[in-house]
Amino acid sequence: MSAPTAILQMLCPDQPGLVRELSGWVAANGGNIVHADHHSDQGAGLFLSRIEWQLEGFGLPREAICPTARALAERLGGEYKVTFSDDRPAVAIFVSKQDLLWRVRTGELPMRVPLVIANHPDLGPIAQEFGAHFEHVPISAANREEAEARHLALLAEHRIELVVLAKYMQVLTPQFLASFDPPDAFHRLINIHHSFLPAFKGAQPYHRAWDRGVKLIGATAHYVTEDLDGGPIIAQSTMGVGHRDEVDDLIRKGRDTERLALARAVRLHLKHQVMVYRGRTAVFE
């Protein structure tokens, strides 16, 4: 395992000298920068930066880095986030089969999964096999408010920092989003869907796509907002479709692309390589 690093993400109004300002702050405290990515969106008038440096030899203890970065962000009139590469955030999965859990077990995704929530009881044994607490919370139009209150209580109880919606076929209400994921540059809810939208919304999209003879299938992983399936895009995956493919082949290929896009999006988020602004993302890979 590589030596731990600190990561600073900064979003602020664009102005001359920002790269020097931020890298100079790290250097002034004895930090050795291992990654530095910057983007100036001239149309938006915004500057986005991600700087990662080694903690060994850095002049500030961990607990002092965040307050010092806060003062820097306030001076620049921006938003900031400080994280550390050896953190393992607690993640809740709303409905999942084994794919994400296997990736956690093998170390591919640097996170813990203490909680799996589902509106059907089928996945309880799988979640328990991986050491996650499983909670079956039935949800309908009649009990949605009560169910979401239970969700929020469970997320607080397990100190969840990120929620991944892995084929969770329910729409989250604006009240839930405002409680768990207030709007800023660092979102905490990730969803996955097929990339037929907006052409094939609703039920049986693969059947209707097959009827139309589509030649490319895909999936999109994005942050969740009140705009249904319209949140800022993190990652996408595509695969070709041939004339010999039947509906079952499209469904199989679609599931493969969804798994890949979702795993990539979660990994990018966990590595703190994604920043959101003006409804879109900057992904520093």
Side-chain angles (χ1 to χ4, degrees):
M1 185 176 179
S2 57
T5 57
I7 302 157
L8 171 65
Q9 293 168 280
M10 184 75 72
L11 171 66
C12 65
D14 197 12
Q15 54 190 287
L18 286 172
V19 172
R20 182 180 66 249
E21 181 90 32
L22 296 174
S23 59
W25 173 75
V26 176
N29 288 287
N32 180 35
I33 294 175
V34 294
H35 296 291
D37 297 281
H38 315 287
H39 174 61
S40 178
D41 188 320
Q42 297 182 7
L46 294 172
F47 178 80
L48 299 89
S49 178
R50 180 190 186 274
I51 299 180
E52 183 174 356
W53 68 94
Q54 293 175 342
L55 281 171
E56 183 178 356
F58 193 58
L60 296 175
R62 286 196 189 209
E63 61 272 15
I65 295 176
C66 192
T68 308
R70 182 186 306 119
L72 179 62
E74 289 174 353
R75 182 156 54 83
L76 298 176
E79 301 176 54
Y80 81 102
K81 187 177 184 180
V82 171
T83 48
F84 302 98
S85 64
D86 55 356
D87 285 346
R88 293 293 179 268
V91 177
I93 299 175
F94 280 32
V95 183
S96 178
K97 295 190 178 179
Q98 293 186 359
D99 186 62
L100 279 180
L101 295 171
W102 273 116
R103 292 175 189 269
V104 174
R105 176 172 284 184
T106 60
E108 182 181 333
L109 296 175
M111 67 187 197
R112 297 176 291 110
V113 183
L115 178 64
V116 174
I117 295 176
N119 55 351
H120 298 288
D122 312 32
L123 299 174
I126 293 176
Q128 291 163 10
E129 177 188 346
F130 285 86
H133 173 77
F134 179 80
E135 189 85 10
H136 171 218
V137 183
I139 188 168
S140 66
N143 77 331
R144 187 171 302 276
E145 184 176 342
E146 177 184 347
E148 287 196 343
R150 179 59 180 155
H151 291 160
L152 290 169
L154 287 165
L155 297 176
E157 177 185 342
H158 292 272
R159 299 183 179 181
I160 297 300
E161 300 171 58
L162 173 69
V163 168
V164 178
L165 305 178
K167 305 300 289 182
Y168 181 68
M169 307 304 289
Q170 296 289 330
V171 178
L172 300 175
T173 66
Q175 293 76 21
F176 179 92
L177 295 176
S179 296
F180 181 73
D181 190 24
D184 62 13
F186 309 100
H187 289 241
R188 300 204 297 158
L189 275 155
I190 295 176
N191 192 17
I192 182 74
H193 65 68
H194 62 79
S195 284
F196 293 138
L197 295 174
F200 303 105
K201 285 187 177 182
Q204 295 189 314
Y206 291 101
H207 292 73
R208 288 182 290 121
W210 183 84
D211 286 340
R212 292 290 300 277
V214 299
K215 303 305 180 195
L216 194 67
I217 196 170
T220 296
H222 61 92
Y223 288 118
V224 178
T225 65
E226 292 185 28
D227 182 11
L228 180 62
D229 288 334
I233 294 170
I234 309 169
Q236 293 178 297
S237 178
T238 61
M239 187 179 297
V241 174
H243 61 274
R244 292 185 175 88
D245 287 325
E246 300 292 341
V247 172
D248 288 346
D249 297 308
L250 265 66
I251 292 172
R252 171 181 52 81
K253 288 184 174 184
R255 287 172 177 164
D256 288 344
T257 60
E258 287 173 6
R259 292 187 186 104
L260 289 173
L262 183 60
R264 181 164 170 253
V266 172
R267 188 182 307 110
L268 287 167
H269 178 94
L270 294 171
K271 294 288 188 179
H272 313 290
Q273 293 175 271
V274 187
M275 296 180 68
V276 179
Y277 70 104
R278 302 286 175 91
R280 60 184 300 176
T281 56
V283 181
F284 296 118
E285 293 189 77

